Amino acid sequence: MIIKILGSGCKKCIALGENAKAAADAAGISAEIVKVTDYAQIAAYGVMSTPALVIDEKVVSTGKVLTVSEVTEKLGTA
């Protein structure tokens, strides 16, 4: 599974990345966390508000920092 964090690298982006890693670890999912900071790549996903969470190339959240439990829910539906 590939989890991408889209954003500039701000505190919120870092927090979302940490929460995504914690959620994957807690769920026992082997996931690669990729940080995407290039605005052209972010725009290619149609994301206008960061941070955004992308799971296996599907945008599942934009504009907010999800909690570990919220990310876990998204992992289950991805």
Side-chain angles (χ1 to χ4, degrees), residues 3 16 19-21 23-24 53 55 66-76:
I3 299 172
L16 180 58
N19 290 351
K21 181 174 180 353
L53 179 67
I55 300 173
L66 298 177
T67 64
V68 174
S69 63
E70 288 173 324
V71 175
T72 301
E73 288 177 24
K74 301 290 185 189
L75 292 173

Side-chain angles (χ1 to χ4, degrees), residues 8-75:
S8 63
C10 65
K11 287 182 182 180
K12 289 182 179 182
C13 299
I14 293 167
L16 180 58
E18 290 171 351
N19 290 351
K21 181 174 180 353
D25 290 346
I29 295 171
S30 175
E32 178 185 354
I33 308 289
V34 178
K35 295 179 181 169
V36 178
T37 57
D38 181 73
Y39 288 108
Q41 290 179 356
I42 293 169
Y45 284 97
V47 170
M48 302 309 265
S49 180
T50 61
L53 179 67
V54 177
I55 300 173
D56 289 337
E57 296 303 312
K58 179 182 174 190
V59 178
V60 296
S61 173
T62 63
K64 68 178 192 172
V65 178
L66 298 177
T67 64
V68 174
S69 63
E70 288 173 324
V71 175
T72 301
E73 288 177 24
K74 301 290 185 189
L75 292 173

